[in-house]
């Protein structure tokens, strides 16, 4: 029985970790460690519900239901609403399905867990590569300049390239050399080399420096 339980936990760790590696590759906050811990913890809860309380108190479904609802709190913590943009929905959904994979491993449904992991990776990675042009990417662009006129020119240049601006914020800093304008804009741009397109557009302005692009 110990070998069987160990195999279930190890399977959950590896399958959850596989999804975490993909998220790590995409530079997401919830990466390898978060995903393998979620899968491993879900599997352990399931195993404990099956073997930890004796034959008479065996009720796996109740523990599984609590895992499903409990993972929602962790997933909600990865979702960020900023201005008019929502970030982290994919990561939250990934944690949710990783918990399900852990539950499947904990009950011994290894084939189902492996198939689900494969489908998740196909959805996250392969489709991202094969269909990069579909839809628009939400990007936050930050840049600085010493001219207020340049700020308007940059925004107009973005609009000329069919880049929509969801929100815009500008702060003014006073330095010994004069005023500096810090701009943060949430934009939506067609997928496929969109970061390179933005960089090329900003490079057209000699007095503009990009502070962040994410």
């Amino acid at each position: 029985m110990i070998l069987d339980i160990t195999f279930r936990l190890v399977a959950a760790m590896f399958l959850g970790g596989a999804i975490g590696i993909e998220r790590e590759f995409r530079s997401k906050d919830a990466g390898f460690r978060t995903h393998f811990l979620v899968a491993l913890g879900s599997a352990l809860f399931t195993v404990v519900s099956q073997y930890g309380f004796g034959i008479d108190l065996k009720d796996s479904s109740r523990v599984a239901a609590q895992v499903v609802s409990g993972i929602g709190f962790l997933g909600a913590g990865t979702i960020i609403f900023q201005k008019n943009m929502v970030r982290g929905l994919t990561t939250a959904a990934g944690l949710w399905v990783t918990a399900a994979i852990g539950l499947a491993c904990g009950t011994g449904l290894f084939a189902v867990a492996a198939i689900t992991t494969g489908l998740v990776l196909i959805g996250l990675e392969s489709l991202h590569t094969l269909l990069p042009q579909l839809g628009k990417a939400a990007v936050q662009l930050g840049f600085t300049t010493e001219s207020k006129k340049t700020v308007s020119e940059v925004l107009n240049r973005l609009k000329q390239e069919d880049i929509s601006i969801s929100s815009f914020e500008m702060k003014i800093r006073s330095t010994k050399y004069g005023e500096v304008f810090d701009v943060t804009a949430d934009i939506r741009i067609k997928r496929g080399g969109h970061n390179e397109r933005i960089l090329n557009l900003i490079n057209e302005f000699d007095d503009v420096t990009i502070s962040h692009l994410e």
Side-chain angles (χ1 to χ4, degrees):
M1 186 179 71
I2 295 299
L3 289 176
D4 178 55
I5 292 175
T6 301
F7 186 77
R8 295 185 186 193
L9 297 177
V10 171
M13 182 185 71
F14 276 102
L15 294 178
I19 298 175
I21 289 174
E22 192 280 337
R23 295 283 83 191
E24 196 90 40
F25 179 74
R26 294 294 172 191
S27 300
K28 303 300 181 180
D29 292 332
F32 171 76
R33 291 179 295 180
T34 303
H35 283 77
F36 99 76
L37 286 173
V38 167
L40 184 60
S42 299
L44 180 59
F45 274 122
T46 306
V47 169
V48 169
S49 70
Q50 290 180 323
Y51 303 105
F53 303 103
I55 300 298
D56 296 334
L57 297 177
K58 185 177 179 180
D59 191 354
S60 306
S61 61
R62 292 182 60 185
V63 175
Q66 295 303 314
V67 171
V68 172
S69 60
I71 195 64
F73 290 97
L74 184 59
T78 66
I79 301 174
I80 301 174
F81 180 76
Q82 188 176 34
K83 307 293 183 180
N84 296 321
M85 302 177 69
V86 179
R87 300 177 182 273
L89 285 175
T90 302
T91 300
L95 292 174
W96 183 61
V97 74
T98 300
I101 291 170
L103 287 172
C105 290
T107 56
L109 298 175
F110 303 116
V112 173
I115 292 172
T116 302
T117 301
L119 292 175
V120 170
L121 293 177
I122 289 173
L124 290 175
E125 186 62 30
S126 299
L127 294 182
H128 186 277
T129 302
L130 295 175
L131 305 175
Q133 304 295 333
L134 294 182
K136 288 190 174 183
V139 179
Q140 186 175 82
L141 169 65
F143 64 89
T144 61
T145 181
E146 297 179 357
S147 171
K148 189 174 183 179
K149 180 181 178 182
T150 302
V151 175
S152 299
E153 293 176 349
V154 170
L155 297 179
N156 289 332
R157 185 71 180 90
L158 293 174
K159 292 178 181 179
Q160 290 175 3
E161 294 296 322
D162 194 27
I163 300 175
S164 59
I165 302 173
S166 303
S167 64
F168 166 78
E169 181 180 6
M170 183 175 65
K171 297 181 180 179
I172 303 176
R173 289 186 292 113
S174 296
T175 68
K176 61 180 180 181
Y177 301 106
E179 292 183 335
V180 175
F181 297 88
D182 294 320
V183 179
T184 301
D186 293 319
I187 62 179
R188 293 188 177 274
I189 181 173
K190 189 175 180 181
R191 296 182 184 275
H194 48 275
N195 285 341
E196 290 78 8
R197 288 178 55 199
I198 296 173
L199 290 173
N200 291 332
L201 289 174
I202 299 300
N203 285 336
E204 296 177 6
F205 301 89
D206 296 330
D207 57 340
V208 175
T209 302
I210 294 180
S211 57
H212 66 272
L213 180 63
E214 57 187 28

